[in-house]
Amino acid sequence: MSPYTIRFGLLITYLRTEEKLILDRARKRGLDVTTLLDRQLVLDLNAPDRDAAGFPYDIIVDRCVAHLPADYALSVFKRWGIPTINSAETTAICDDKAKCSLALEAGGVPTPKTKIAFSIDAALEACEQLGYPAVLKPVTGSWGRLLSRVNGPDQARVILEQKKELGSMHHAI
């Protein structure tokens, strides 16, 4: 390996078709690329940089499905001075539906009408403002999990009360 070779880490949860294509193209271009499974990482939070941590990568591309491990790993890589695609800040915004909506609106990207509320009564008022049917969506999550279409206030109240009881603060927003 040349002293100028970039050591490229592909941070993944699963090796899917897209990641296989990235690996194939990177290797065809002569890049030194390695997959890093998020569930196998052990990252030293006390290490001041990648050299002290014994982490040999110059750049990391995040392709994790699991948002929380990616967020922590990218934050550690940032502290160690390793550039990442995408950044910890970007993935944190993308993982939070309210912050993502704000960022898209600020960037002029058309988005569906969206309201945020912090109590059941406020959420019911938001649904009234939007009109029924409405969609209740947690601020975190993906793949349509915990999404609920509600056709009226009674159905909305039942769903909202259930979400509040789930225990996560994210379900109450």
Side-chain angles (χ1 to χ4, degrees):
M1 179 167 82
S2 153
Y4 303 107
T5 300
I6 294 174
R7 296 162 299 179
F8 169 18
L10 185 65
L11 181 62
I12 62 172
T13 304
Y14 307 107
L15 188 58
R16 302 169 296 175
T17 301
E18 294 87 355
E19 287 76 30
K20 290 176 184 175
L21 290 169
I22 291 169
L23 290 168
D24 181 58
R25 294 285 167 88
R27 290 177 177 140
K28 282 181 179 174
R29 291 179 180 218
L31 295 174
D32 178 14
V33 60
T34 303
T35 57
L36 305 170
L37 288 171
D38 57 7
R39 63 186 169 274
Q40 293 179 346
L41 286 178
V42 177
L43 303 173
D44 185 351
L45 300 182
N46 301 111
D49 56 43
R50 70 170 185 200
D51 294 331
F55 197 77
Y57 303 98
D58 300 306
I59 189 165
I60 303 293
V61 173
D62 170 36
R63 294 288 302 166
C64 284
V65 173
H67 294 255
L68 199 55
D71 181 44
Y72 286 116
L74 294 170
S75 295
V76 171
F77 301 149
K78 178 181 178 182
R79 178 169 186 262
W80 290 347
I82 301 172
T84 60
I85 304 168
N86 288 310
S87 68
E89 293 81 9
T90 299
T91 58
I93 289 169
C94 291
D95 190 39
D96 185 302
K97 304 307 178 256
K99 291 178 183 176
C100 187
S101 290
L102 289 169
L104 291 170
E105 286 288 334
V109 177
T111 60
K113 291 181 182 179
T114 305
K115 306 274 184 178
I116 188 169
F118 306 104
S119 71
I120 291 173
D121 289 337
L124 290 169
E125 175 60 29
C127 288
E128 290 294 329
Q129 291 173 12
L130 289 168
Y132 290 98
V135 175
L136 302 175
K137 185 175 185 177
V139 291
T140 62
S142 59
W143 300 9
R145 284 177 281 204
L146 300 175
L147 234 88
S148 300
R149 177 187 162 148
V150 292
N151 295 314
D154 293 338
Q155 187 182 25
R157 182 175 291 282
V158 169
I159 298 292
L160 290 163
E161 287 174 355
Q162 180 189 30
K163 288 179 178 291
K164 185 176 180 182
E165 292 303 315
L166 288 173
S168 168
M169 66 178 168
H170 298 106
H171 294 118
I173 300 175

